[in-house]
Amino acid sequence: MTTAPLKFRKMNGLGNEILVVDARGSRASPSANTVRAIAERPETRFDQLMALFDPKTPGTAAYVRIYNADGSEVGACGNGTRCVGWVLAEELARAQVSIETAAGVLAISVKDQSCISVDMGEPNFDWDKIPLAEEFRDTRAIELQIGPIDAPVLHSPSVVNIGNPHAIFWVDDTAAHDLGRFGPLLEHHPVFPEGANISLAKVTSREAVAVRTWERGAGLTKACGTAACAAAVTGARKRFLERTATVTVPGGNLVVEWTPKNRIIMSGPVELEGEGLVTL
């Protein structure tokens, strides 16, 4: 269905390219082909498109559908959620807003453009909820490797669902592996029936971890908010990290707290790059 042109904001969260499209009041229902075409245009290039629709749940400011650059729809995007939170907080002149996604209702707190905090919900470590294709009782390290059996290049990732599936490979040097080559293979590995975000993580202290990510449906990215959350909670679960950690991604730093109530709070900046009109 072709709709009237809708306002977009071109933004980024630590270099993770986000396109926020305001489809509230419209009947837009973008196809995968439409989403891919928008992603291919220089002026609307994105890693994730955050489409705002009229709220479904009382008390929320919008229902948000999230699309990757390949046209696939996903349940969560941490950096995109921060961008949406800032847009809505500015519009409503409020420091606290809530949105709803396929992953549930998310609360967002906006101090200023340099500090937006999102309650990303609860991590899910159950193998069938991640999901995995076969049962693994301990998802802190599953049997998966790249390379020779006796000398694997990457092995034993931690897995978790943060609104989308993640596999975290713990390494000594995140730059020492060709993630652009291994990422697509691992994203589509048979053990991940819905695909997975693939990250390399290096613990640098009890309160810090460096992460590089191949994002499902988007490829190499400067920042992936849910991957930062995944690395922080799985690192804490393996006792590598404290429950609050600074996660350094190629685009900068995020702070992730895994609270005693099992909630994940992610904090970081956003940047507005431009505005325009687009048809979904």
Side-chain angles (χ1 to χ4, degrees):
M1 177 185 295
T2 301
T3 64
L6 304 170
K7 182 176 181 178
F8 75 78
R9 291 175 176 85
K10 184 74 163 59
M11 304 184 70
N12 78 77
L14 296 179
N16 187 185
E17 295 188 76
I18 305 295
L19 195 72
V20 179
V21 178
D22 189 353
R24 287 173 294 177
S26 81
R27 299 179 64 188
S29 183
S31 68
N33 286 339
T34 297
V35 172
R36 284 195 294 270
I38 294 171
E40 290 170 359
R41 300 170 194 157
E43 68 275 17
T44 54
R45 162 79 180 94
F46 64 82
D47 295 317
Q48 278 77 37
L49 185 154
M50 313 290 288
L52 279 58
F53 292 92
D54 294 326
K56 296 182 178 182
T57 300
T60 60
Y63 184 86
V64 182
R65 294 177 65 180
I66 307 169
Y67 300 89
N68 285 330
D70 69 354
S72 59
E73 189 168 358
V74 295
C77 174
N79 289 313
T81 299
R82 291 204 320 281
C83 290
V84 168
W86 180 80
V87 167
L88 292 173
E90 288 286 297
E91 173 188 302
L92 300 170
R94 286 163 42 186
Q96 307 283 336
V97 296
S98 293
I99 64 169
E100 186 176 5
T101 72
V105 174
L106 305 176
I108 307 166
S109 175
V110 180
K111 181 179 179 182
D112 53 37
Q113 201 168 331
S114 68
C115 186
I116 297 96
S117 298
V118 180
D119 182 339
M120 297 294 294
E122 299 181 357
N124 200 316
F125 302 109
D126 296 341
W127 72 272
D128 56 336
K129 301 293 178 55
I130 291 172
L132 303 177
E134 58 185 280
E135 180 176 1
F136 288 91
R137 292 189 177 183
D138 188 353
T139 52
R140 289 175 295 182
I142 67 168
E143 296 176 17
L144 175 63
Q145 65 181 42
I146 290 288
I149 294 177
D150 56 346
V153 177
L154 297 170
H155 64 92
S156 308
S158 303
V159 290
V160 61
N161 188 294
I162 311 284
N164 47 28
H166 286 269
I168 308 295
F169 289 87
W170 302 97
V171 298
D172 293 329
D173 183 355
T174 62
H177 304 277
D178 189 354
L179 190 56
R181 181 161 67 93
F182 293 135
L185 300 175
L186 291 164
E187 174 191 354
H188 299 291
H189 192 282
V191 77
F192 303 118
E194 296 180 7
N197 297 274
I198 307 299
S199 294
L200 306 177
K202 173 182 171 56
V203 175
T204 55
S205 77
R206 291 286 302 171
E207 297 177 343
V209 58
V211 176
R212 290 178 62 222
T213 299
W214 174 273
E215 194 162 4
R216 180 183 64 166
L220 289 172
T221 181
K222 292 183 179 179
C224 175
T226 55
C229 295
V233 298
T234 56
R237 195 172 181 228
K238 289 176 71 71
R239 302 186 186 280
F240 293 161
L241 297 168
E242 300 296 338
R243 292 180 71 103
T244 297
T246 297
V247 183
T248 299
V249 298
N253 293 334
L254 293 165
V255 175
V256 179
E257 178 189 5
W258 185 15
T259 74
K261 293 184 178 180
N262 198 32
R263 309 293 293 187
I264 304 171
I265 309 298
M266 179 193 63
S267 302
V270 301
E271 182 179 5
L272 176 64
E273 299 177 3
E275 301 179 349
L277 296 175
V278 69
T279 301
L280 290 185

